Amino acid sequence: MQIAKDSVVSIDYTLTDDAGKVLDSSSGGEPLAYLHGNGNLIPGLEAELDGKTKGAKLEVKVLPKDGYGELDPTLVHQVPKRQFDGDVAVGQRFHAGPSVVTVTRILGDMVTVDGNHPLAGQNLNFKVEVKDVRAATEEELEHGHVHGAGGHHH
Ligand code: ZN
């Protein structure tokens, strides 16, 4: 069957940046299963998968506007170190209200935190192989996500 809205799609994928560095991959694990057309994948990748069938192989370059968005400089803040409980280190991530911020720099008593998604502003290069396509169950449609292998277990 062809991938369409509410298909359950299993994919193997490798994600690299423009320098060829692997950012994420399903390699070595089970394929990622997702519910197509429900906003579970970034829009640029989901659009390319639409209409494909089992066995299809794709190479997709997703620009920031169709991925995790452009870098928003207004989401970068300087915060005095004393506002943190305990130690703070570059690379640490914190929940700040509804968003997640990453510590990107510590200079003297000032800490730079960045609320952009770690992949914002980057081109995303996906290599994808469609491993399986099936119809979603009623329960999966109710929950808005896939159950079982590669999906939610609950
Ligand atoms: Zn569920």
Side-chain angles (χ1 to χ4, degrees):
M1 63 185 283
Q2 281 189 311
I3 297 174
K5 181 162 168 40
D6 298 335
S7 298
V8 171
V9 185
S10 298
I11 56 172
D12 271 336
Y13 69 97
T14 300
L15 168 61
T16 54
D17 64 15
D18 278 350
K21 183 182 161 211
V22 175
L23 302 173
D24 193 12
S25 174
S26 62
S27 169
E30 55 189 338
L32 170 77
Y34 77 95
L35 187 60
H36 191 81
N38 286 261
N40 294 331
L41 279 195
I42 55 169
L45 183 56
E46 195 161 60
E48 290 295 322
L49 282 161
D50 208 63
K52 298 292 188 296
T53 53
K54 180 176 172 172
K57 291 182 182 174
L58 300 76
E59 290 193 24
V60 183
K61 187 189 230 7
V62 177
L63 302 178
K65 67 179 173 60
D66 298 316
Y68 293 101
E70 302 287 354
L71 279 175
D72 182 351
T74 67
L75 297 178
V76 179
H77 298 282
Q78 308 286 330
V79 183
K81 211 185 230 176
R82 64 183 139 75
Q83 288 193 9
F84 291 85
D85 302 328
D87 287 339
V88 58
V90 170
Q92 274 183 333
R93 309 190 77 200
F94 297 94
H95 284 275
S99 59
V100 175
V101 301
T102 306
V103 175
T104 55
R105 196 166 73 137
I106 301 172
L107 198 63
D109 288 333
M110 293 305 280
V111 176
T112 304
V113 296
D114 188 342
N116 286 289
H117 188 281
L119 297 177
Q122 291 200 41
N123 292 332
L124 306 173
N125 302 289
F126 286 95
K127 262 191 191 170
V128 178
E129 181 173 354
V130 179
K131 304 298 282 187
D132 196 31
V133 184
R134 66 169 169 83
T137 65
E138 263 177 47
E139 192 185 46
E140 286 171 328
L141 291 175
E142 256 174 47
H143 289 204
H145 57 229
V146 173
H147 292 160
H152 285 246
H153 300 274
H154 63 99

